[in-house]
């Protein structure tokens, strides 16, 4: 698989050519401000001590404090975290919120850890990076396999270390600790606002939009639920264990229950080992492998899991006309070129999933002003930020005849360089 940071650089260079960027500009956008790598010593429930590698990459803060999630995943490494930090800087610039870009990661598999062990990892992370993060410095948030609960532990440990109350040091927290209404569904909701804008532009009905979703964590589930409630047809879903397809349409709420009761959506039609084959055949439903969902016939494909799932190998088999990237970096540059060739519209991650960080920004604002916004207020402020960015990116894509990803890079890079120049960082 391609190195994630190399993938970022590939898109940066292709956009640099369109924009006619100088070497100094390209260097500035290729070099993180700081790469911090620390080893966390964590005690397992058995008493055994393990050492876990932890990362925080602070990519660029020209537009505001560093901002970005922390992932707990065995594949987290310096290259991945660096690439994701760069994407965060671009993402915040694309939706025009006054924040920079960062990302964190701890390399371990939380699925093999108890709740108490995960809490110890989170607290060890907060202690190790206590002087690197801060409400005006660097504000973490959830990402792959990290939750509001985990953000609560990090906040608590950070406040304990510094002896202060500082809810704005982290976003995506539980509501009880100053979290924002609408944050847990924000990434999906933001993606839906963008998709709705595109659908209207294309003159399509919601009922004509058959959707396949790869990944059924927080983002994939809420996207499925919101789209289903709007009248889109969910024809395929996949979690990490398996996929389900039905031309007649799947019920995301029932799939969610199946996942929580039996650990996989594939048990949607089953209770224990007994499966309702009659209902399954009525719905024309089939169980497939997770990656088969990527190449299902549909109108909208939503990768909502990990990076690098749409590759040079499967891009030619994608049968969607729109790809909405709710995951970060799901399409490799080689796959991107194939999708472009095949006239498949890709709504890039730095726009499609920017709803999450946008509501994180709202949460940070609420913490700093002491306000509490209703969910309706959160949505009413999120929608125009998402749709304005989409429309700006669409115009750039149209005028310059470049992909939506390149257009999003043009918009984001332009704003970051403008801030850097205003600071006198560039000659
Ligand atoms: N992890 C999310 C992302 O990749 C949210 C980051 C944040 O809220 O800071 O955009």
């Amino acid at each position: 698989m391609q190195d994630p940071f190399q993938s970022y650089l590939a898109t940066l260079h292709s956009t640099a050519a369109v924009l006619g960027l100088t070497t100094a500009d390209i260097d500035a956008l290729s070099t993180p401000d700081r790469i911090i790598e620390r080893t966390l010593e964590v005690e397992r429930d058995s008493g055994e001590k393990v050492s876990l590698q932890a990362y925080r990459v602070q990519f660029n803060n020209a537009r505001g404090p560093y901002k970005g999630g922390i992932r707990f995943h065995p594949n987290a490494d310096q290259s991945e975290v660096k690439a994701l930090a760069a994407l965060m800087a671009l993402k915040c610039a694309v939706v025009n919120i006054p924040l920079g870009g960062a990302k964190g990661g701890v390399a371990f598999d939380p699925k093999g850890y108890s709740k108490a062990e995960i809490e110890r990892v989170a607290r060890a992370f907060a202690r190790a990076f206590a002087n690197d993060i801060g409400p005006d410095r660097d504000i973490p948030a959830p990402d792959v396999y990290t939750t509001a609960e985990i953000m609560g532990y990090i906040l608590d440990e950070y406040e304990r270390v510094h002896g202060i109350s500082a809810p704005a040091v982290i976003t995506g927290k539980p509501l009880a600790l100053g979290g924002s209404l609408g944050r847990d569904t924000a990434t999906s909701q933001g993606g839906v606002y963008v998709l709705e804008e595109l659908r209207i532009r294309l003159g399509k009905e919601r009922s004509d939009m058959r959707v396949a979703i790869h990944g059924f964590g927080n983002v994939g589930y809420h996207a499925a639920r919101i789209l289903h409630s709007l009248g889109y047809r969910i024809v395929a879903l996949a979690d990490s264990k398996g996929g389900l397809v039905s031309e007649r349409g799947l019920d995301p709420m029932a799939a969610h229950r199946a996942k929580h009761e039996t650990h996989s959506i594939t048990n949607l039609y089953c209770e224990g080992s007994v499966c309702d084959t009659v209902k399954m055949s009525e719905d024309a439903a089939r169980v497939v492998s997770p990656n088969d969902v990527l190449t299902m016939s549909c109108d909208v494909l939503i990768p909502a899991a990990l990076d690098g799932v749409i590759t040079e190998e499967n891009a030619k088999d994608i049968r969607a006309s729109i790809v909405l990237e709710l995951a970060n970096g799901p399409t490799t540059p080689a796959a991107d070129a194939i999708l472009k060739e095949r006239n498949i519209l890709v709504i890039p991650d730095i726009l499609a999933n920017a709803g999450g960080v946008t509501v994180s920004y709202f949460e940070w604002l609420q913490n700093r002003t002491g306000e509490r916004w209703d969910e309706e207020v959160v949505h009413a402020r999120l929608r125009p930020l998402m749709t304005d960015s989409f429309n700006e990116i669409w115009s750039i894509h149209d005028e310059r005849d470049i992909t939506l990803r390149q257009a999003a890079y043009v918009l984001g890079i332009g704003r970051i360089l403008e801030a850097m120049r205003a600071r006198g960082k560039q000659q």
Side-chain angles (χ1 to χ4, degrees), residues 67-69 88 91 103 139 141-143 171 183 328 353 356-357 360:
K67 183 84 191 83
M88 283 310 304
K91 197 184 295 189
K103 198 79 173 197
I139 307 135
D143 196 71
T171 60
R183 175 61 187 87
N328 285 310
N353 70 32
V357 74
S360 274

Side-chain angles (χ1 to χ4, degrees), residues 300-348:
V300 187
L301 171 64
I302 305 186
L306 289 171
D307 47 82
V309 294
I310 303 181
T311 61
E312 194 168 4
E313 285 71 48
N314 63 14
K316 60 180 184 320
D317 302 320
I318 302 275
R319 288 190 279 162
S321 49
I322 298 166
V323 176
L324 179 72
E325 292 185 338
L326 290 188
N328 285 310
T331 311
T332 66
D336 220 19
I338 297 171
L339 298 181
K340 176 180 183 225
E341 196 59 35
R342 298 186 53 219
N343 283 326
I344 295 174
L345 261 182
V346 180
I347 308 178

Side-chain angles (χ1 to χ4, degrees), residues 235 237 242-251 258 264-289:
V235 293
L237 290 173
L244 259 185
V245 296
S246 163
E247 256 311 305
R248 303 234 172 99
L250 297 160
D251 174 358
S264 179
I265 59 165
T266 53
N267 296 319
L268 174 63
Y269 292 93
C270 307
E271 275 198 48
S273 56
V274 184
C275 296
D276 188 343
T277 46
V278 176
K279 175 97 177 74
M280 217 164 154
S281 76
E282 265 170 24
D283 286 1
R286 291 180 289 128
V287 172
V288 296
S289 82

Side-chain angles (χ1 to χ4, degrees), residues 144-158:
V144 174
Y145 296 146
T146 51
T147 57
E149 211 175 9
I150 293 172
M151 299 304 111
Y153 305 144
I154 296 178
L155 170 63
D156 183 62
E157 196 66 20
Y158 176 88

